[in-house]
């Protein structure tokens, strides 16, 4: 049995990839204001529900925070006169329900901190960035020559993963990016095994894996340092965006979706399969394949975040493959994720469904056979 397959007692952590549904159940007037009662459910089980009370101004604040995405969200307009009329409030409730639906059904929006803190304040109103910086500073305290230059805010989609520009005195002209990741709900290694695995991660060498310069783990999470990838990921290339822009701005409503050439899809696809086989032969789970984790360097793929599986971080496609009983092993997850990755490289845009029934009209004939 591989070391990562050991089952140990693990603190129950929130899975940020689980689906969220919201229903505005009711409304009531209090102190001259209307409050809407929203029932929120995480995952498929009805026992994991809670209720939040929100005023219209809370929706306005959320709407303002989500504008960076460039998505055409339709928030009902403000009304000063007659806004306490029951018929008007009922109409507004329906409009706000449609607004919430448009958010929770969009994987970009629902993954954002503004949306999560709106519908789940108990778990998402903590100062994530400040806490992460403290953890990074503590992790680097024992590493001579390494220091944090500045945070790279909002470039990733995970709420519990934070990026930093760091500097090494041994390579002052090189730009390094560090990522701090909290342990995820799938973490099964104890502290001793985690340190042993992380020590070996930086020694892994493969032409299709982005090399690790430094990796450290604590009892909270892990810090991994790599050289900066200024050209960004395949997803950045498909969307025509710069890697340092915020996640919402980059992927919410990109101006372009430019697919890769057929020859590139074939080349990169083969390389991805080769490196996945290499990792599985090593007994190291990946499970986090998606276009945002693949860098292209001189027509060669470079996988990022090979440490995610060890850290217990859920897959980007978990909400999709959880709908299929046959997808339960690390190998089947990687196969499924590879299909999504091929789709996005082919059409320039991700597939926001668990399966594809009909290909878009611009499907290249060679690929549709």
């Amino acid at each position: 049995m591989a070391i990562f397959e050991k089952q140990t007692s693990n603190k129950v952590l929130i899975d940020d990839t689980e689906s969220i549904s919201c229903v505005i159940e009711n409304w009531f007037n209090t102190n001259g204001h209307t409050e809407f009662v929203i029932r929120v459910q995480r995952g498929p089980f009805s026992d994991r529900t809670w209720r939040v009370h929100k005023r219209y101004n809370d929706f306005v604040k959320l709407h303002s925070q989500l504008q960076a995405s460039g998505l055409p969200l339709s928030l009902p307009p403000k009304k000063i006169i007659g806004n306490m009329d029951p018929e008007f409030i009922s109409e507004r409730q329906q409009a706000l329900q449609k607004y919430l639906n448009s958010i929770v059904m969009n994987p970009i929006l629902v993954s954002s901190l503004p949306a999560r803190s709106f519908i789940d304040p108990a778990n998402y109103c903590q100062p994530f960035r400040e806490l992460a910086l403290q953890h990074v500073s503590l992790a680097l305290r024992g590493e001579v020559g390494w220091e944090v230059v500045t945070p790279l805010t909002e470039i990733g989609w995970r709420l519990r993963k934070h990026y930093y520009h760091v500097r090494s005195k041994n390579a002052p002209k090189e730009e390094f990016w560090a990522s701090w990741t909290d342990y995820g709900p799938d973490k099964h290694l104890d502290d001793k095994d985690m340190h042993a695995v992380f020590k070996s991660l930086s020694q892994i060498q493969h032409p299709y894996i982005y090399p690790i310069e430094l990796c450290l783990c604590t009892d909270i999470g892990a810090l991994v340092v790599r050289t900066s990838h200024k050209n960004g990921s395949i997803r950045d290339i498909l969307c025509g965006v710069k890697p340092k822009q915020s996640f919402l701005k980059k992927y919410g409503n990109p101006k372009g979706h430019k697919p890769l050439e057929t020859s590139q899809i074939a080349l990169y696809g083969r390389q991805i399969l080769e490196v996945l086989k290499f990792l599985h032969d090593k007994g190291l789970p990946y499970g986090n394949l998606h276009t945002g984790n693949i860098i292209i360097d001189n027509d060669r793929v470079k996988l990022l975040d090979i440490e995610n599986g060890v850290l217990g971080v859920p897959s980007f496609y978990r909400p999709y493959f959880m709908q299929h009983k046959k997808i339960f092993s690390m190998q089947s997850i990687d196969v499924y994720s590879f299909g999504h990755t091929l789709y996005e490289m082919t059409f320039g845009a991700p597939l926001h469904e668990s399966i594809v029934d009909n290909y878009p009209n611009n499907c290249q004939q060679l690929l549709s056979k």
Side-chain angles (χ1 to χ4, degrees):
M1 177 181 289
I3 192 171
F4 65 83
E5 292 178 323
K6 290 183 179 180
Q7 300 290 321
T8 63
S9 60
N10 186 33
K11 179 182 177 182
V12 177
L13 301 173
I14 292 177
D15 183 353
D16 296 320
T17 67
E18 282 192 302
S19 61
I20 293 286
S21 60
C22 301
V23 176
I24 304 179
E25 291 184 319
N26 205 349
W27 58 267
F28 60 91
N29 293 325
T30 176
N31 298 323
H33 299 285
T34 301
E35 287 195 5
F36 296 94
V37 182
I38 307 173
R39 177 172 55 84
V40 188
Q41 178 175 322
R42 179 188 293 115
F45 304 109
S46 59
D47 60 332
R48 293 193 294 171
T49 63
W50 61 93
R51 286 167 177 79
V52 292
H53 293 188
K54 297 293 181 180
R55 292 165 49 181
Y56 175 75
N57 284 344
D58 296 322
F59 281 88
V60 172
K61 181 180 178 181
L62 172 64
H63 187 69
S64 175
Q65 293 172 319
L66 296 180
Q67 288 305 291
S69 69
L71 288 165
L73 296 171
S74 181
L75 180 70
K78 187 178 184 66
K79 184 177 182 180
I80 299 177
I81 300 175
N83 60 3
M84 302 299 289
D85 179 70
E87 184 177 348
F88 165 74
I89 296 176
S90 295
E91 292 176 355
R92 169 162 283 181
Q93 176 181 338
Q94 296 178 24
L96 290 176
Q97 182 66 64
K98 291 181 180 179
Y99 181 79
L100 280 178
N101 291 344
S102 65
I103 293 173
V104 298
M105 293 176 66
N106 186 298
I108 302 296
L109 296 180
V110 77
S111 297
S112 68
L113 185 56
R116 290 283 171 159
S117 59
F118 180 86
I119 58 182
D120 189 3
N123 291 304
Y124 292 95
C125 281
Q126 57 180 300
F128 287 97
R129 294 177 189 171
E130 291 81 355
L131 291 172
L133 184 56
Q134 292 177 21
H135 297 319
V136 170
S137 299
L138 288 173
L140 286 177
R141 181 176 293 179
E143 297 298 319
V144 179
W146 287 95
E147 62 178 355
V148 176
V149 178
T150 183
L152 299 171
T153 58
E154 302 180 350
I155 66 172
W157 71 277
R158 292 190 186 274
L159 298 176
R160 303 171 201 277
K161 188 162 194 168
H162 304 266
Y163 295 86
Y164 303 88
H165 174 200
V166 296
R167 180 185 296 122
S168 171
K169 290 183 179 179
N170 294 328
K173 295 184 179 181
E174 191 74 59
E175 182 177 348
F176 296 97
W177 286 9
S179 63
W180 168 265
T181 309
D182 291 347
Y183 291 133
D186 297 338
K187 175 181 177 289
H188 299 303
L189 294 179
D190 56 28
D191 290 344
K192 181 181 178 181
D193 288 339
M194 181 65 73
H195 283 281
V197 170
F198 250 63
K199 185 177 180 180
S200 64
L201 276 178
S202 61
Q203 300 173 0
I204 293 179
Q205 295 183 357
H206 191 277
Y208 304 144
I209 292 178
Y210 209 99
I212 296 174
E213 304 296 330
L214 175 70
C215 54
L216 308 166
C217 61
T218 70
D219 58 345
I220 302 296
L223 179 73
V224 179
V225 178
R226 296 176 172 90
T227 56
S228 65
H229 36 89
K230 298 180 181 179
N231 294 329
S233 65
I234 286 184
R235 182 165 295 157
D236 293 325
I237 295 171
L238 296 173
C239 296
V241 296
K242 297 179 180 179
K244 288 187 179 181
Q245 290 179 320
S246 74
F247 183 80
L248 272 180
K249 186 175 182 180
K250 285 194 298 186
Y251 307 132
N253 189 21
K255 294 181 179 179
H257 286 290
K258 185 179 179 181
L260 299 181
E261 298 292 335
T262 304
S263 58
Q264 293 175 309
I265 299 170
L267 176 63
Y268 302 155
R270 178 183 59 79
Q271 293 175 353
I272 292 170
L273 289 176
E274 285 186 21
V275 69
L276 287 178
K277 183 179 185 303
F278 170 82
L279 290 173
H280 282 277
D281 288 345
K282 289 286 185 180
L284 181 66
Y286 189 45
N288 285 268
L289 179 66
H290 59 83
T291 58
N293 270 353
I294 307 171
I295 303 298
I296 301 299
D297 182 19
N298 292 324
D299 255 352
R300 179 178 290 181
V301 304
K302 301 278 187 178
L303 287 194
L304 293 170
D305 295 351
I306 61 170
E307 68 277 3
N308 276 7
V310 175
L311 298 178
V313 176
S315 169
F316 179 81
Y317 291 116
R318 187 173 215 166
Y320 300 136
F321 67 67
M322 288 293 287
Q323 303 175 40
H324 305 282
K325 295 181 179 180
K326 293 184 179 180
I327 303 174
F328 56 88
S329 67
M330 294 305 302
Q331 184 174 5
S332 60
I333 290 172
D334 279 338
V335 170
Y336 179 82
S337 300
F338 178 68
H340 270 270
T341 301
L342 281 181
Y343 183 98
E344 191 168 348
M345 290 193 297
T346 303
F347 301 109
L351 173 65
H352 292 317
E353 302 290 345
S354 66
I355 60 174
V356 55
D357 290 322
N358 297 297
Y359 291 103
N361 293 330
N362 62 333
C363 180
Q364 301 176 46
Q365 186 177 4
L366 181 61
L367 295 171
S368 62
K369 291 183 178 180

